[in-house]
Amino acid sequence: MADNSGKTWWKEAVVYQIWPRSFNDSNGDGIGDIPGITERLPYLADLGINVIWLSPVFASPNDDMGYDISDYRAIMPEFGTMDDFDQMLETAHSLGIKILMDLVVNHSSDEHEWFKKARASRDNDYRDYYIWRDSSGVDEDGKPLPPNNWGSEFGGPAWEYDETTDQWYLHMFSRKQPDLNWENPKVRQEIFDLVTFWLDKGVDGFRLDAINIISKPEGLPDDPSVDPEKHSSSIPFVITNGTKVHEWMHELNMETFDKYDCMTVGEMSATGPEEAVQFSGFTTDELHMIFHFEHMGLDSDPDTGMGKWSRKPVQLTEMKEILNTWQTELDGKAWGSLYWNNHDQPRVVSRFGNDSPEYRELSGKMLATVLHGMQGTPYIYQGEEFGMTNVQFDSIEDYKDLDSINFYTDMVTEHDRMSSDEAMALIYAKGRDNARTPVQWSADAGAGFTSGTPWIGLNENYTEINAAEAVEREDSLWHYYRQLVALRRGELKDLLVYASFAPLDPEDSEMYAYERHGEGEKLLVVANFTDGVLTRSYEVLEGADAQVVLSNYADATEQSAEAELTLRPYEARIYRIAA
């Protein structure tokens, strides 16, 4: 049994997520591609990151933007060729950057050869690669009814009827993403083989998409929570963390990951710290860390029954309770991941910060300080490092995200459950296209992303908010991220990566403060989450030999380390304190 309780490269990593379609277009077709990634690798090396999480680049019909894979051993032609991939991998490695692939094996595309063969008849070798069931009956018009009442993540039933074979197949996401049947040992072996293919090619690990829903409950019982009026999903209620998921994660690890010096992180909705320790505990032999979703629900109202498609004000005390609990419950038992953004979430400076011109960068720096000051492996999403914001397109016709389009169609077009303005307000706040507008590289036409017409509209603020401007300006958010990464990988590595976490003042609704306790010294992290001036006292500073090692206000290093601090709007500081 492995023991991952010591120091490892993946704990000390700073990861940068690339969503290829919107990262950088090298050939002017308006779609980001692999050669475009290679072009920008020096930029990432200069930022200081040393691992890239690469969202799917596999062959795909793009029903769900690459998370519907039709060939796990081929590259999507829009993104380039396998030679392009090999060149990117070689260049990244030459710059000291490792590559994590995005492993999507809860489901495949319905255009994968496995599924094409599976749906040809009930009696073939591939039928049991997927989950098929008979109708539960017929409706009053004589039409077949699905096997149970499960709702998919993207709205509507989680079952699709196949007339050819008179059965239904399960799809917890799009109807073009049939769920794989992990009960079948042949399916698991196929997955072991494709993972080994990429590890042998030289990739450095995997992010595992929706991996804790691979084990479906025996008998596929109805979901008592489903409300067809509320666009609700059955994933959190009947599928998450099924009875065989740990058995299969252990098997996957022992057959593949454990044989290589690689990094693994599992995407796991509806999973708390106790379950996370079972997945990523230092001696579990399953995964190195997981992505949890608890803080991603801070601005959703559970009383509506509509999941993310609801809104409520974010309470800092709730955020602290969630993040502090994860810090303390995993400490010494398992490793955690740290993130504010990814391809499925709104932009953090618009969501938990203040994206006004006055406070966008200050609040962005504050949020970065809070996250990167914690224990765990931090992840930066493309554009986060210079403060890209949410977008508001004029019409639903301008959006590309299947989830948003289905929500609008369900709520407005088909069932008149809310007005267009109400639906669009939720899409502006929660839609995945907020994260998927092209990276704003410069103020030039096409935002420096493309010389052609981008596949999705640009955020119109690209002329003011872009990487070129931020890199040029020494006090920018980009340079602040660069300082944070440098501290974490250099001078303060032992404290920022490995020191234990101690929360302070959990009931304070305006200030986030915590300590990190290392050998012979401590860190104090303080962050004002408001646009007002706050005064607070911290005992750890009283009479202490303390130094401000980083702050988002340039003159903070000149402030004396008094027990009572005055922090300006969105001010954040990291103090280094001798024992």
Side-chain angles (χ1 to χ4, degrees):
M1 179 178 289
D3 182 357
N4 288 316
S5 59
K7 295 183 178 182
T8 62
W9 68 263
W10 42 267
K11 292 177 184 175
E12 299 172 7
V14 179
V15 186
Y16 187 96
Q17 184 191 355
I18 289 178
W19 201 74
R21 180 167 292 269
S22 292
F23 188 66
N24 188 43
D25 171 25
S26 69
N27 60 9
D29 66 356
I31 297 170
D33 47 44
I34 292 172
I37 295 171
T38 305
E39 287 179 1
R40 299 292 184 178
L41 288 174
Y43 163 90
L44 296 179
D46 195 24
L47 182 62
I49 64 94
N50 59 338
V51 177
I52 288 170
W53 156 21
L54 185 64
S55 287
V57 293
F58 310 101
S60 168
N62 270 319
D63 183 62
D64 186 26
M65 296 298 173
Y67 284 87
D68 50 317
I69 297 171
S70 55
D71 188 340
Y72 289 95
R73 291 176 174 83
I75 298 296
M76 191 186 306
E78 290 176 318
F79 289 164
T81 66
M82 189 63 81
D83 285 343
D84 293 328
F85 180 89
D86 291 340
Q87 180 61 54
M88 179 198 67
L89 185 64
E90 180 181 348
T91 304
H93 284 169
S94 73
L95 293 169
I97 297 173
K98 298 179 185 292
I99 300 291
L100 304 185
M101 300 290 282
D102 212 325
L103 186 64
V104 188
V105 287
N106 172 70
H107 49 266
S108 75
S109 167
D110 68 344
E111 297 184 33
H112 195 290
E113 283 301 313
W114 298 341
F115 192 74
K116 289 180 181 179
K117 294 174 180 176
R119 74 189 315 175
S121 72
R122 289 197 185 197
D123 184 22
N124 68 77
D125 291 342
Y126 288 90
R127 186 70 171 184
D128 199 33
Y129 272 44
Y130 298 88
I131 299 170
W132 298 87
R133 292 293 185 273
D134 292 330
S135 302
S136 61
V138 295
D139 64 15
E140 58 188 19
D141 297 321
K143 294 182 179 179
L145 292 170
N148 64 27
N149 71 341
W150 289 1
S152 81
E153 183 71 12
F154 294 162
W159 296 93
E160 182 74 8
Y161 182 64
D162 179 67
E163 291 188 2
T164 302
T165 58
D166 187 29
Q167 277 192 319
W168 302 73
Y169 65 84
L170 181 67
H171 61 90
M172 293 314 305
F173 294 92
S174 159
R175 65 179 180 82
K176 289 183 66 62
Q177 293 171 294
D179 280 43
L180 288 161
N181 178 18
W182 276 69
E183 296 277 1
N184 184 348
K186 292 181 180 179
V187 169
R188 301 200 300 276
Q189 188 60 53
E190 295 271 19
I191 293 166
F192 302 158
D193 291 346
L194 69 91
V195 167
T196 300
F197 169 83
W198 287 101
L199 288 170
D200 284 346
K201 184 175 277 291
V203 305
D204 303 286
F206 295 90
R207 176 261 190 187
L208 292 83
D209 182 73
I211 199 63
N212 64 327
I213 69 169
I214 57 175
S215 174
K216 276 62 177 182
E218 187 175 352
L220 308 183
D222 273 353
D223 176 4
S225 72
V226 159
D227 186 341
E229 297 293 314
K230 293 183 177 178
H231 197 85
S232 57
S233 166
S234 293
I235 286 177
F237 301 101
V238 296
I239 299 177
T240 301
N241 299 331
T243 56
K244 294 187 178 179
V245 67
H246 290 292
E247 173 189 336
W248 292 338
M249 282 297 92
H250 179 78
E251 184 183 16
L252 174 60
N253 178 63
M254 300 312 293
E255 292 292 329
T256 59
F257 308 140
D258 192 59
K259 299 176 181 180
Y260 299 80
D261 181 22
C262 68
M263 170 182 172
T264 56
V265 53
E267 181 198 30
M268 298 192 179
S269 61
T271 299
E274 184 177 345
E275 187 79 22
V277 171
Q278 296 180 49
F279 282 111
S280 59
F282 291 141
T283 57
T284 59
D285 285 325
E286 292 188 28
L287 297 168
H288 291 142
M289 67 192 84
I290 75 161
F291 289 130
H292 73 86
F293 283 70
E294 286 198 67
H295 60 313
M296 294 293 101
L298 284 164
D299 52 358
S300 299
D301 186 350
D303 293 336
T304 65
M306 291 183 62
K308 82 171 186 181
W309 295 115
S310 60
R311 292 187 73 184
K312 71 170 187 177
V314 175
Q315 302 297 322
L316 180 60
T317 50
E318 292 182 20
M319 177 187 290
K320 290 159 69 171
E321 181 180 7
I322 291 169
L323 297 182
N324 290 350
T325 297
W326 276 87
Q327 287 287 296
T328 56
E329 290 298 309
L330 265 58
D331 196 7
K333 303 173 187 175
W335 199 248
S337 59
L338 307 169
Y339 75 97
W340 288 129
N341 293 278
N342 62 39
H343 63 289
D344 284 335
Q345 301 295 337
R347 292 283 179 179
V348 69
V349 74
S350 298
R351 188 180 197 180
F352 299 150
N354 184 331
D355 63 7
S356 69
E358 183 178 7
Y359 293 126
R360 178 183 62 87
E361 285 203 306
L362 275 173
S363 66
K365 292 175 182 178
M366 180 274 293
L367 288 163
T369 306
V370 168
L371 192 80
H372 287 248
M374 292 182 174
Q375 186 186 81
T377 299
Y379 291 72
I380 302 167
Y381 180 69
Q382 60 187 39
E384 175 187 340
E385 73 276 16
F386 58 88
M388 284 182 63
T389 66
N390 282 354
V391 69
Q392 294 189 10
F393 293 134
D394 292 335
S395 164
I396 191 63
E397 303 299 324
D398 298 318
Y399 285 81
K400 306 295 185 182
D401 171 38
L402 180 68
D403 193 13
S404 297
I405 294 167
N406 285 356
F407 168 72
Y408 186 93
T409 300
D410 187 11
M411 294 291 121
V412 180
T413 308
E414 292 186 353
H415 298 108
D416 196 26
R417 291 171 182 149
M418 61 177 62
S419 70
S420 176
D421 287 347
E422 289 172 325
M424 291 305 295
L426 288 169
I427 290 170
Y428 292 156
K430 300 295 189 71
R432 299 192 298 180
D433 282 338
N434 283 308
R436 299 178 180 188
T437 57
V439 172
Q440 297 160 202
W441 291 106
S442 71
D444 297 335
F449 162 75
T450 183
S451 59
T453 302
W455 71 276
I456 189 174
L458 298 166
N459 191 322
E460 62 183 14
N461 63 20
Y462 75 88
T463 54
E464 292 83 35
I465 301 172
N466 58 72
E469 187 279 334
V471 171
E472 183 69 21
R473 180 166 47 85
E474 290 188 2
D475 65 347
S476 71
L477 179 57
W478 189 89
H479 280 280
Y480 194 82
Y481 266 89
R482 191 168 183 252
Q483 287 178 280
L484 271 172
V485 174
L487 286 173
R488 191 174 188 91
R489 295 189 59 203
E491 180 185 357
L492 294 183
K493 180 173 69 176
D494 284 346
L495 279 167
L496 284 173
V497 177
Y498 295 109
S500 62
F501 178 93
L504 297 174
D505 302 333
E507 299 306 317
D508 192 327
S509 62
E510 298 175 310
M511 186 82 77
Y512 205 148
Y514 58 84
E515 297 176 13
R516 301 290 303 280
H517 296 174
E519 292 186 12
E521 56 183 344
K522 297 178 181 179
L523 295 178
L524 170 67
V525 178
V526 292
N528 180 354
F529 265 72
T530 78
D531 59 4
V533 177
L534 301 178
T535 301
R536 297 289 189 273
S537 295
Y538 296 102
E539 185 179 345
V540 69
L541 290 177
E542 189 170 351
D545 177 9
Q547 171 194 6
V548 176
V549 292
L550 188 66
S551 174
N552 56 352
Y553 279 76
D555 62 353
T557 56
E558 302 167 9
Q559 306 290 326
S560 60
E562 304 289 342
E564 184 174 274
L565 301 179
T566 298
L567 276 81
R568 293 156 285 189
Y570 299 106
E571 184 167 8
R573 299 178 191 173
I574 300 178
Y575 286 89
R576 188 176 190 175
I577 305 166

